[in-house]
Amino acid sequence: MSTATINPPVQSSVPSSGTTVANVARSEWTKLWSVRSTRWTLLATVLVSWAFTTLFAWGESANWSQVDPQEKATFDPTATSLGGLYFGQLAIAVLGALIITAEYSTGGIRTTLTAVPQRLKVLLAKGLTFAVVALVVGLITSFGAFFIGQAFFATVGVEAHLGDPGVTRALIGGGLYILGCGMLGFAVGTLLRHSAGSITTAIGLLFVLPILSNLLPGEWGKTIQRYFFSNAGGQITTIRQDPNQLTPWNGYLVFTIEWALILLAGAILLRRRDA
């Protein structure tokens, strides 16, 4: 994806006398939707998640008669239907990074910071604007994936329902998880300011390193695996709790603290570094 077309250096629409957070947020909202890449990346988040959910649910239901009885007893139809989110998360993380790094790439950040000298106010407005969009898209993705998955599982009589214990929490949690992945990308972008580096780092933290953490030996390895970014945050989408993992809300809290610390470091550097 070319970063040159994400946020062209246009004159900020924020009047110099009206640099409240609300006014800056309106300007950021306009910039966010003024480029096609935003719509395409959000669409990719939804469609990629639903596509992988379809594959997972189709395969599971087609081979259900061959599944071991012990695996059937612990099968979690809700978490399985939300498995596609682990691929869709990459698109929202990329968008989160580009929200801020693209302005550095084009030089548009200088215009923004000239119109709004309070740098943390700009960061807050960007973050809030993106968070609202990411949460809405995340909820659409999560609920849509659930209904797709249950359509397949219903053919073998193992579907879940919205009224079942923990299901609504898991589906809302799926939306929150997508939000967190997007904010991780945003946090890394704020810290590094370079599109390619930020995207690579975000994908590594969310997808590559969590898989590799499973290979770490001993109890210390299990501890790192348990607390590592998406390993911790993804527990919010589970119904049947793995005793070796964090509980849903504790896991999501750990995930939130992790990306928030990166964002805090980025905010400190934003105040100190030249645009």
Side-chain angles (χ1 to χ4, degrees), residues 47-216:
L47 295 184
V48 169
S49 298
W50 288 355
F52 276 96
T53 288
T54 300
L55 289 176
F56 296 154
W58 185 13
E60 193 74 42
S61 59
N63 298 303
W64 185 251
S65 61
Q66 304 174 25
V67 175
D68 184 88
Q70 291 185 344
E71 293 184 18
K72 289 183 178 181
T74 58
F75 178 66
D76 188 340
T78 301
T80 303
S81 66
L82 297 180
L85 271 63
Y86 289 95
F87 295 89
Q89 68 178 355
L90 303 180
I92 198 71
V94 168
L95 180 60
L98 291 177
I99 288 294
I100 191 162
T101 62
E103 284 203 70
Y104 281 100
S105 299
T106 62
I109 192 67
R110 297 187 184 91
T111 302
T112 299
L113 296 181
T114 298
V116 187
Q118 302 94 337
R119 296 186 173 193
L120 293 186
K121 187 178 291 185
V122 172
L123 185 64
L124 177 61
K126 283 182 178 292
L128 289 176
T129 302
F130 175 63
V132 169
V133 174
L135 179 58
V136 171
V137 171
L139 290 172
I140 293 172
T141 304
S142 180
F143 276 83
F146 173 77
F147 289 118
I148 291 172
Q150 303 324 301
F152 284 97
F153 298 142
T155 63
V156 290
V158 294
E159 76 278 13
H161 303 89
L162 285 177
D164 293 346
V167 169
T168 301
R169 184 266 303 157
L171 297 185
I172 294 175
L176 291 172
Y177 178 70
I178 291 294
L179 164 64
C181 293
M183 292 306 296
L184 175 63
F186 180 77
V188 172
T190 303
L191 181 65
L192 300 183
R193 305 195 302 179
H194 186 274
S195 295
S198 299
I199 291 171
T200 301
T201 301
I203 291 176
L205 292 175
L206 285 173
F207 193 75
V208 180
L209 293 181
I211 295 175
L212 296 179
S213 69
N214 292 317
L215 304 177
L216 296 175

Side-chain angles (χ1 to χ4, degrees), residues 229-248:
F229 290 93
S230 57
N231 291 341
Q235 296 305 310
I236 195 68
T237 65
T238 61
I239 302 294
R240 298 183 183 275
Q241 182 63 39
D242 184 342
N244 296 317
Q245 299 295 331
L246 299 174
T247 60

